[in-house]
Amino acid sequence: MLKIKNCLKFVNIFKINTTKRHSSKLNTEFLNKTFSIITDYLSNLKSGKINVINYLSPEELQKEIDLKLSDKDTSDEEILELTKKVLKYSAHSGHQHYCNSLFGGFSEYALAGDYISSSLNGIVTAYELAPVFSIMEKEVTRSYCDFLGWTHVDTMFAPGGSLANFYALLSARHFYFPHAKTDGILGFPRMKIFTSEVGHYSIEKGAIMMSIGSKNVVKVKADKYGRMIPEDLEQKIYQCKHNGEFPILVNVTLGTTVFGTFDPINEIADICQRNKIWLHADACFGGSMFFLEEFREKVKEGMSKADSLSWDPHKVLSVPMQCSLFVTRHKNILLDCNSLGADYLFMKDKVIYDAKIWDKGDQSIQCGRHIDVLKLWMYWKAYGSAGISVKLRNALDNARYLAALANKHHNFELIVEPDYVSVSFFYLPNRFLNRERDDKFWEELDHIAPKIKADMVKRGKLMVAYQRQSYNGQNLVNFFRPIVTLGKSKDDMEHIINEIHEIGKDL
Ligand SMILES: Cc1ncc(COP(=O)(O)O)c(C=O)c1O
């Protein structure tokens, strides 16, 4: 009897909630309340009323928010309360004092683009599934390629810069060894890939995914600024050929992950041309610099010889994660390289439009592909290329200002003058000043940045990344590397210096 009663109770709860949840009417009340919570959050974020993070330990956080799932459903009111907590305890990358990652900042227009993409819940595989976005992807790519000076291109939006770089590796392998697509890489000469010793690890990950192997990614030396040394590249290519190995790709980094420096693409392009090697530009971080005419002019010669490029508009610009573009000047290579022509998806006999021109799905390494273009298009449309370049110039100016502040301050030591929006420096607590720079000094200094970072996160007033870096025959101990994304101010730069000094001076 008790059992039946319990059963009925369960059915009743289930009935009440499912009726509400499965109604054919839109739950506008819930959506409006959610949007209102988001809008409140964003205005508090913009006016600096909230901390950049409200840090709780994993144990505390699990007590604070009920994240467990169960058979039981949850009321709208409870979900809305949970939503507030989700926002409260997350890191706020749109905050003025978030300088931790290569992405950050915030734009209402780009955000609206993201909302709309999710509301449509579409994919960009076939024109009939994404008529507007199929054209929009072409238009956005064309505008960006105008900056590169490229006209006939093949392109793909990718879920992140690492995969945009992977498209380059796949394309280069296909260019030299098209049969590797079907036969695998056994039986072909040992393939080699060249990148700077401070290049992003996605190149090695790509080599692993292609079974080329991470050991076959040759690390070219960087100079004291972190730029690839062309002479070392040339010598390593010579050695590779001498060993009977086959260089398939040289990766130049335009905007390195830590120092934000630019490899000398013009000289490297000549080397690639002489040696007939695919030249890829990993401009995931630095690709936004193409909005500036003076930058385009500087790299024009190299770009005219390059084969492909990746760019992450989600870095530096305020376009939400993720939005990445791969572009190559080898028309049709993406289709040749990646297509399998699945009959159940990619029909070539469509009657109302030319599927060969408009259906991108078979050129991708994914099946369903998210609409990433809209948030970029909304952002670009709202500010225009001129508006974006003004914002970028302002960010570059702020980065130089931060470097100057670090240079002036006794407790800060700039590592390299910024080329871009990353500013790298050591912080020396008072007791380190005027000390002999022996091994003990560096060993102790290595522990300082992690300690400051821990306090920084607990205080919640700033987020800046720290790391070690080995290059050019030196092993730098832990140092800070704030990223000055768009929309920050001189006051924000001063805040970085003041907050680090406040936490660290007596350590
Ligand atoms: C130079 C460079 N290339 C590629 C990537 C990878 O980008 P994503 O994080 O979008 O995969 C990064 C990320 O930091 C990067 O700095």
Side-chain angles (χ1 to χ4, degrees):
M1 188 60 191
L2 198 67
K3 251 189 182 167
I4 294 173
K5 245 181 160 174
N6 274 343
C7 238
L8 281 175
K9 216 164 106 191
F10 175 74
V11 167
N12 256 344
I13 293 168
F14 196 68
K15 213 166 134 197
I16 292 163
N17 288 324
T18 47
T19 313
K20 191 167 138 202
R21 290 281 148 77
H22 293 268
S23 141
S24 60
K25 258 180 75 189
L26 183 69
N27 188 349
T28 46
E29 193 188 341
F30 175 74
L31 281 179
N32 285 336
K33 283 184 177 165
T34 305
F35 281 129
S36 155
I37 290 173
I38 296 172
T39 317
D40 284 351
Y41 159 71
L42 291 174
S43 42
N44 286 334
L45 188 72
K46 275 241 160 184
S47 58
K49 281 197 193 131
I50 54 175
N51 276 353
V52 62
I53 185 165
N54 297 300
Y55 179 80
L56 290 183
S57 70
E59 296 73 28
E60 291 166 327
L61 190 56
Q62 284 171 85
K63 280 188 204 140
E64 181 64 24
I65 317 184
D66 179 12
L67 294 175
K68 291 203 181 65
L69 300 168
S70 69
D71 283 343
K72 195 176 143 299
D73 59 7
T74 311
S75 71
D76 283 4
E77 288 66 33
E78 278 174 273
I79 292 182
L80 291 167
E81 282 314 305
L82 283 167
T83 307
K84 287 183 195 164
K85 287 191 175 181
V86 166
L87 287 168
K88 180 173 178 188
Y89 293 110
S90 294
H92 306 301
S93 70
H95 198 286
Q96 290 298 107
H97 299 151
Y98 183 91
C99 305
N100 201 83
S101 317
L102 308 188
F103 65 91
F106 148 81
S107 152
E108 293 83 347
Y109 304 97
L111 184 64
D114 216 10
Y115 285 165
I116 297 168
S117 296
S118 294
S119 308
L120 284 167
N121 194 25
I123 49 172
V124 199
T125 48
Y127 179 79
E128 66 214 355
L129 296 176
V132 179
F133 304 118
S134 301
I135 300 173
M136 192 183 278
E137 280 194 349
K138 276 191 193 289
E139 191 50 40
V140 166
T141 310
R142 194 192 56 73
S143 301
Y144 189 67
C145 286
D146 279 352
F147 291 158
L148 308 181
W150 293 359
T151 38
H152 299 288
V153 293
D154 217 357
T155 68
M156 185 60 68
F157 275 80
S162 302
L163 287 169
N165 283 341
F166 186 54
Y167 273 111
L169 297 172
L170 281 171
S171 304
R173 186 196 63 186
H174 192 78
F175 183 70
Y176 297 108
F177 301 111
H179 294 295
K181 174 181 177 179
T182 45
D183 302 352
I185 60 164
L186 277 179
F188 292 104
R190 184 180 285 267
M191 299 178 204
K192 290 274 179 178
I193 295 159
F194 297 80
T195 191
S196 149
E197 60 178 328
V198 295
H200 191 258
Y201 64 69
S202 52
I203 299 296
E204 282 153 282
K205 292 222 172 175
I208 295 168
M209 288 195 280
M210 288 164 72
S211 290
I212 287 177
S214 56
K215 278 190 180 163
N216 292 310
V217 176
V218 180
K219 298 294 181 65
V220 181
K221 278 193 204 131
D223 65 15
K224 63 177 177 173
Y225 305 104
R227 300 173 192 141
M228 187 192 274
I229 301 174
E231 295 75 22
D232 191 53
L233 170 68
E234 188 137 40
Q235 204 269 325
K236 286 189 161 116
I237 291 172
Y238 172 80
Q239 192 61 49
C240 158
K241 288 184 166 175
H242 183 74
N243 295 344
E245 297 159 343
F246 198 101
I248 59 164
L249 179 141
V250 170
N251 175 57
V252 288
T253 312
L254 300 181
T256 54
T257 310
V258 175
F259 293 140
T261 46
F262 293 78
D263 286 342
I265 186 169
N266 298 342
E267 286 149 273
I268 293 170
D270 284 341
I271 297 172
C272 289
Q273 203 168 49
R274 276 202 298 282
N275 289 280
K276 300 190 172 50
I277 308 175
W278 183 292
L279 174 61
H280 174 66
D282 174 357
C284 284
F285 184 26
S288 299
M289 283 292 273
F290 282 95
F291 279 92
L292 306 187
E293 203 182 334
E294 61 274 27
F295 179 79
R296 299 200 287 268
E297 215 31 59
K298 222 163 112 182
V299 297
K300 193 167 144 192
E301 214 187 301
M303 286 308 299
S304 72
K305 295 170 191 155
D307 295 277
S308 58
L309 175 139
S310 333
W311 171 44
D312 278 357
H314 68 235
K315 293 187 166 58
V316 186
L317 305 185
S318 318
V319 175
M321 296 276 275
Q322 338 179 114
C323 187
S324 305
L325 183 63
F326 170 72
V327 197
T328 171
R329 296 165 80 201
H330 296 262
K331 197 121 177 71
N332 301 325
I333 201 158
L334 286 174
L335 189 66
D336 288 350
C337 171
N338 302 318
S339 72
L340 286 174
D343 295 340
Y344 52 90
L345 274 180
F346 306 118
M347 303 82 184
K348 300 283 184 292
D349 53 356
K350 288 184 179 165
V351 177
I352 45 177
Y353 67 90
D354 189 345
K356 282 189 230 72
I357 296 177
W358 289 104
D359 290 357
K360 290 287 285 178
D362 208 14
Q363 303 174 24
S364 160
I365 53 170
Q366 299 175 258
C367 182
R369 191 164 56 82
H370 187 252
I371 305 162
D372 288 327
V373 68
L374 181 59
K375 53 199 167 198
L376 172 60
W377 181 85
M378 293 273 278
Y379 181 82
W380 201 334
K381 194 82 176 160
Y383 302 106
S385 308
I388 295 173
S389 62
V390 169
K391 283 170 176 288
L392 187 56
R393 280 209 177 85
N394 187 46
L396 295 171
D397 202 33
N398 284 334
R400 283 190 289 268
Y401 180 64
L402 178 59
L405 290 177
N407 258 335
K408 251 187 358 210
H409 200 298
H410 290 313
N411 299 73
F412 288 76
E413 206 166 285
L414 199 67
I415 297 172
V416 281
E417 281 297 331
D419 252 5
Y420 191 35
V421 292
S422 325
V423 186
S424 303
F425 50 73
F426 291 115
Y427 175 78
L428 313 180
N430 288 335
R431 71 185 168 92
F432 282 74
L433 301 179
N434 307 320
R435 252 180 72 179
E436 192 194 334
R437 302 275 170 115
D438 53 10
D439 288 352
K440 193 151 184 301
F441 173 95
W442 294 113
E443 217 173 276
E444 279 181 40
L445 191 66
D446 192 41
H447 298 296
I448 294 300
K451 277 190 193 148
I452 294 179
K453 176 72 186 258
D455 262 9
M456 187 191 285
V457 169
K458 281 196 213 148
R459 284 161 64 101
K461 295 188 185 325
L462 176 69
M463 280 186 84
V464 169
Y466 71 84
Q467 68 282 292
R468 302 187 181 107
Q469 175 86 70
S470 297
Y471 77 110
N472 191 239
Q474 48 181 344
N475 300 313
L476 299 185
V477 301
N478 278 317
F479 60 92
F480 287 106
R481 177 218 38 178
I483 305 295
V484 185
T485 47
L486 269 53
K488 303 211 187 299
S489 68
K490 296 262 185 308
D491 284 352
D492 298 327
M493 302 301 103
E494 287 162 18
H495 176 77
I496 295 172
I497 297 286
N498 294 340
E499 182 69 3
I500 293 179
H501 187 50
E502 176 66 27
I503 300 169
K505 59 183 189 292
D506 297 323
L507 284 179

